[in-house]
Amino acid sequence: MTGLLSRLFPSATNMIRLDHTHVLSTFHQYKAGAPRRVKKGLVNTMCTALEIHAQLEEEIFYPAVRAVTQNELIAKSLEEHQEMRRLIGLLRQMEPEARDYDETVANLMRDVMHHVADEETLVIPEAERLLADELGELGMRMTKRRLQLVGPRSGEIALDMGRAASGNVLALTALGIGAVGLLMAQRTGHTGMPARDKRGKAA
């Protein structure tokens, strides 16, 4: 049954690639001359996506890779995550009118693009070679954990995507994809929430 369920979800490496594509698409939507609301929505959307992505990698993907290889890029990736979080922290405290707002966004984009290039050319191919039989199971675990992380922030995510709507159609598409993923997880009983009986009580 676990093997069947794992095939319903993206593999761990395909999920990582999808995350990369989503955040890079959001980067391309960002324009320094965009309205304040759109800039704020786009930046918050990319920051939230990066925070969740990094946590999934650190909790599930990187430990699995480290168990089968001494890839030095994992340590480097963890350092890059910390620098990414530092820049996200600055952006969370700034308003789009700030003099160095656009520059800080550009620094975040540059660091993330470098990180993505390293992962997709070096880390992911090695993981697919050494963990081929485990990537489906890892993807299922990452999907369940993503739902747990996104759930408490769903209102925040929807608000930010609404702000960014006029500048980021792809983000709204991603929201639809996420909703489909949640529906699939609910139907398979893998939302990370306790099962309930007909009276609504936890089983």
Side-chain angles (χ1 to χ4, degrees):
M1 177 63 82
T2 300
L4 175 62
L5 288 174
S6 69
R7 289 194 292 272
L8 295 176
F9 300 96
S11 70
T13 49
N14 282 341
M15 182 180 296
I16 290 170
R17 288 190 181 98
L18 287 169
D19 282 356
H20 289 169
T21 298
H22 171 230
V23 78
L24 293 177
S25 296
T26 307
F27 287 173
H28 287 306
Q29 298 299 315
Y30 186 87
K31 300 290 186 288
R36 178 189 187 281
R37 174 184 62 81
V38 172
K39 290 172 70 170
K40 189 73 171 178
L42 285 169
V43 168
N44 285 350
T45 295
M46 67 177 72
C47 288
T48 300
L50 288 168
E51 287 166 340
I52 291 172
H53 175 77
Q55 189 165 346
L56 291 173
E57 287 189 326
E58 291 171 8
E59 290 184 4
I60 299 171
F61 182 66
Y62 289 168
V65 175
R66 274 183 154 166
V68 295
T69 180
Q70 297 300 314
N71 192 320
E72 295 179 359
L73 274 175
I74 299 299
K76 181 183 177 185
S77 293
L78 290 168
E79 293 174 3
E80 290 171 348
H81 281 184
Q82 291 309 307
E83 174 60 13
M84 179 189 74
R85 288 189 175 101
R86 184 187 73 81
L87 292 170
I88 287 174
L90 291 175
L91 287 169
R92 294 276 194 203
Q93 296 172 12
M94 298 166 68
E95 294 300 327
E97 298 85 0
R99 179 173 53 84
D100 52 350
Y101 190 82
D102 292 331
E103 181 182 354
T104 305
V105 173
N107 289 338
L108 177 63
M109 290 179 179
R110 183 199 62 226
D111 288 355
V112 169
M113 287 189 285
H114 176 77
H115 176 77
V116 166
D118 281 349
E119 278 199 342
E120 296 211 358
T121 58
L122 299 169
V123 178
I124 288 178
E126 185 167 14
E128 289 178 332
R129 180 171 60 86
L130 298 173
L131 293 168
D133 295 335
E134 301 175 44
L135 293 175
E137 172 69 19
L138 291 170
M140 185 175 69
R141 288 173 55 198
M142 289 170 71
T143 299
K144 291 168 61 179
R145 182 61 175 139
R146 182 191 299 276
L147 293 170
Q148 292 170 350
L149 295 173
V150 167
R153 304 180 69 172
S154 57
E156 166 198 345
I157 292 169
L159 176 62
D160 289 331
M161 287 184 171
R163 288 171 174 165
S166 61
N168 190 11
V169 174
L170 289 173
L172 296 179
T173 301
L175 179 61
I177 292 170
V180 172
L182 178 58
L183 179 61
M184 285 179 60
Q186 288 173 336
R187 287 184 174 179
T188 56
H190 283 267
T191 62
M193 301 295 288
R196 296 182 179 275
D197 62 22
K198 294 181 179 179
R199 292 168 295 180
K201 295 182 179 180

